[in-house]
Amino acid sequence: MGKLNLLFLFTDEQRADTMAAYGNAKIFTPNLNRLANDSVVFEKCYVTQPVCTPSRSSIMTGLYPHTNRCIKNNVPLSESTPCLPELVDGYQTGYFGKWHLGDEVFCQHGFDHWTSIEDNYIAHYREGRDRNARSSYHHWLVNQGYKPDGSNGVFSRNAAARLPEEHGKPAFLAHEVANWLESLEADKPFAAYVNFLEPHMPFTGPRDGQYPLDYIDLPANYPHPPGDDAHLKARMLHAMYRHDGFGGVALDNEQGWRRITANYWGLVSQVDAAVGRILDALSRCGRAENTILVYTSDHGDMMASHQLLAKTVMYEEAVTVPLLLHVPGLNPHREAHIVSQIDLLPTLLDLIGAPIPEALEGQSLRGLIETGHAPACPDVFIQWNGADSGISALERGQRLPDYLGALGDPASLVAAPNDPVRTVITPDRWKLSYSPQLQQHTLYDLNADPGETRNLHPLAEHRGRIEDMIARLRAWGTAHGDSGAATI
């Protein structure tokens, strides 16, 4: 059979319960369902930080954000920090889609081929990069007869989202990946990463009408907005969405939440159609039988859970993502052990027979999926490292919106978005989030309370458990050089 190929498909901001494998059969995802039926389905996969750049930095490097220094959005990944193409020999490599790790439209980090779709990060290019360069998708749209709508000569995300589906980003990526697969040398293995922007905001697309509002189920924890025992950032976000809505959709009522959720479901189905075309192309090329397939996302989305939207909080809906792993010759099954995306790169290197650098901070999950042998350190750790809270007025240094004033004193409100929270989840499904600045800690029993509606941290009966979980955070922080955890 020779070396195995790798096709790594991932989305942006897709919560886990958006396909049948994770309990939602209402969303039309026949291709993802087909892939799940042929894969190991990880029931609980956690990100390293619930926001784009830090999370995808871990996916690509096998290092935590504090290690690779991509601790907030738009921090470029160091050219000296390797990604998978720089760790393997003899592979034809390609990257397709959103990158968000610096110098967006320029081929880098060992990839032979680069197809880009985003022109929103020009201001963050490194010195010396051509700021007049445009993405592959931009040039394709121009060739289709479209004209940029932005004042800086680019296509805005809002404009691209409203194009007919055949001209949207998922369809474009499916077309480009298919063409690339067909162009490959047959006797050499390939490794490709494909990242869809969807179902990320602006939460609108050509399938906004696919799901009637009365068909939408709001999450079980929708009636439980963040209360006084929740972290202040979550309460601030709830107040913001309730007051401002999002994208013209009012979010102070159930119908508004159903509307934006219906749009989100439509985006998931749009991605599914593109995934189907990529999988079909893989089969046409005769590569399906010897290709490892991965499907995941860089973080989740609250999407009405606790009446919140987007990410940046430590609730399950923001920090858990789907993870499907198809390995030729491995029987499909469900994996109940909790895992972290920090383990993805070492696992893939192990599966394709490449050396695993000692510097990687994750562990290979090969033993887990092949024999059921759990990793030596089964706790999962998540971090928060600064800005990108979603509370835009504070991030822009503007005055506090009046509607936030009732939530706390001004100093706490300013500090809340940047509170460097550290979270540990244990194999027996207890979850502690430690708030070093505001001292607004949370403890949830995810077995009895999967919706995280009751914070158990204040209860004296859990003192011993809390002390043990804090000790785990400190030990992990010391071992991995994370001062945010080591000094708790």
Side-chain angles (χ1 to χ4, degrees):
M1 179 180 291
K3 290 183 178 180
L4 291 174
N5 308 304
L6 169 64
L7 181 56
F8 193 109
L9 307 171
F10 64 127
T11 53
D12 195 326
E13 203 155 318
Q14 184 179 359
R15 56 188 278 163
D17 60 353
T18 46
M19 63 185 78
Y22 292 94
N24 188 342
K26 281 193 161 186
I27 304 180
F28 185 68
T29 55
N31 299 295
L32 292 177
N33 294 346
R34 170 166 55 113
L35 179 57
N37 290 338
D38 291 333
S39 300
V40 179
V41 177
F42 290 86
E43 295 179 353
K44 275 291 183 180
C45 175
Y46 288 90
V47 303
T48 59
Q49 185 167 327
V51 75
C52 298
T53 293
S55 177
R56 58 188 58 222
S57 75
S58 293
I59 290 173
M60 298 304 299
T61 70
L63 303 173
Y64 285 101
H66 76 272
T67 301
N68 63 43
R69 308 312 302 162
C70 292
I71 60 173
K72 62 180 181 178
N73 276 345
N74 301 311
V75 174
L77 178 63
S78 172
E79 294 171 320
S80 65
T81 301
C83 298
L84 183 138
E86 298 160 293
L87 299 173
V88 298
D89 295 320
Y91 277 76
Q92 304 167 90
T93 58
Y95 193 92
F96 301 80
K98 180 182 173 182
W99 172 246
H100 209 178
L101 291 171
D103 299 343
E104 186 74 16
V105 303
F106 302 97
C107 190
Q108 55 189 290
H109 279 281
F111 287 99
D112 305 320
H113 176 90
W114 196 268
T115 294
S116 54
I117 61 171
E118 292 297 310
D119 293 291
N120 295 281
Y121 308 119
I122 295 172
H124 304 287
Y125 290 174
R126 291 180 176 92
E127 185 177 352
R129 289 296 196 185
D130 181 6
R131 282 169 167 71
N132 292 313
R134 295 294 179 261
S135 69
S136 314
Y137 181 61
H138 173 101
H139 293 296
W140 184 80
L141 286 181
V142 170
N143 288 337
Q144 303 302 312
Y146 292 104
K147 294 183 178 180
D149 63 303
S151 59
N152 58 347
V154 302
F155 293 94
S156 69
R157 280 185 178 170
N158 279 312
R162 288 171 169 79
L163 294 175
E165 185 165 346
E166 63 269 22
H167 294 155
K169 292 176 181 177
F172 169 74
L173 287 175
H175 177 267
E176 293 296 303
V177 174
N179 284 347
W180 182 76
L181 288 172
E182 292 169 0
S183 73
L184 295 176
E185 298 179 40
D187 60 345
K188 291 180 62 178
F190 74 84
Y193 285 73
V194 184
N195 181 237
F196 300 97
L197 173 66
E198 292 77 9
H200 187 281
M201 53 195 65
F203 302 134
T204 188
R207 296 188 181 220
D208 285 354
Q210 182 169 354
Y211 298 101
L213 298 194
D214 60 4
Y215 181 77
I216 300 299
D217 294 327
L218 293 179
N221 55 7
Y222 169 81
H224 300 278
D228 292 342
D229 63 349
H231 193 277
L232 179 56
K233 181 168 71 173
R235 288 182 276 142
M236 292 170 70
L237 287 166
H238 174 254
M240 182 186 74
Y241 289 122
R242 185 171 181 82
H243 184 275
D244 296 343
F246 185 88
V249 178
L251 296 179
D252 60 353
N253 61 83
E254 289 191 9
Q255 284 300 91
W257 282 109
R258 285 193 171 89
R259 175 69 273 157
I260 205 163
T261 301
N263 293 0
Y264 183 76
W265 286 15
L267 292 169
V268 173
S269 292
Q270 186 181 357
V271 168
D272 179 83
V275 168
R277 288 194 286 273
I278 293 173
L279 296 181
D280 290 344
L282 187 68
S283 295
R284 286 197 307 272
C285 295
R287 299 270 196 165
E289 297 302 317
N290 64 335
T291 297
I292 297 168
L293 286 162
V294 182
Y295 185 87
T296 189
S297 192
D298 63 349
H299 50 75
D301 191 293
M302 295 305 294
M303 198 51 62
S305 289
H306 301 289
Q307 298 173 33
L308 294 174
L309 195 66
K311 56 271 187 182
T312 80
V313 289
M314 292 296 183
Y315 286 121
E316 289 289 284
E317 294 81 7
V319 299
T320 60
V321 289
L323 177 57
L324 312 177
L325 177 59
H326 168 77
V327 181
L330 181 65
N331 290 329
H333 63 275
R334 299 185 69 85
E335 181 50 64
H337 284 87
I338 60 173
V339 298
S340 169
Q341 287 186 333
I342 198 68
D343 300 321
L344 283 176
L345 183 55
T347 299
L348 296 175
L349 292 172
D350 196 2
L351 288 171
I352 64 177
I356 302 174
E358 292 184 3
L360 298 192
E361 295 182 295
Q363 302 177 75
S364 173
L365 300 175
R366 183 173 182 175
L368 176 63
I369 61 175
E370 290 184 345
T371 67
H373 179 67
C377 180
D379 292 337
V380 165
F381 299 90
I382 308 170
Q383 53 188 217
W384 184 254
N385 290 297
D388 310 315
S389 68
I391 305 173
S392 56
L394 289 178
E395 289 169 354
R396 291 194 300 266
Q398 299 173 352
R399 71 178 181 87
L400 290 167
D402 293 338
Y403 59 80
L404 295 181
L407 294 177
D409 64 273
S412 294
L413 292 169
V414 170
N418 297 329
D419 190 3
V421 173
R422 294 296 186 267
T423 295
V424 56
I425 304 102
T426 63
D428 56 352
R429 307 299 172 94
W430 282 84
K431 179 180 182 181
L432 173 72
S433 292
Y434 190 93
S435 156
Q437 287 189 1
L438 299 185
Q439 296 292 297
Q440 295 176 350
H441 318 302
T442 59
L443 176 71
Y444 294 108
D445 177 359
L446 298 177
N447 299 291
D449 182 23
E452 296 169 294
T453 62
R454 187 180 181 218
N455 180 11
L456 302 177
H457 190 275
L459 301 183
E461 64 192 85
H462 295 295
R463 287 303 95 194
R465 182 183 299 276
I466 291 169
E467 290 174 3
D468 172 69
M469 296 176 78
I470 288 175
R472 296 183 191 211
L473 276 172
R474 287 175 179 155
W476 172 83
T478 299
H480 291 275
D482 177 19
S483 60
T487 58
I488 286 175

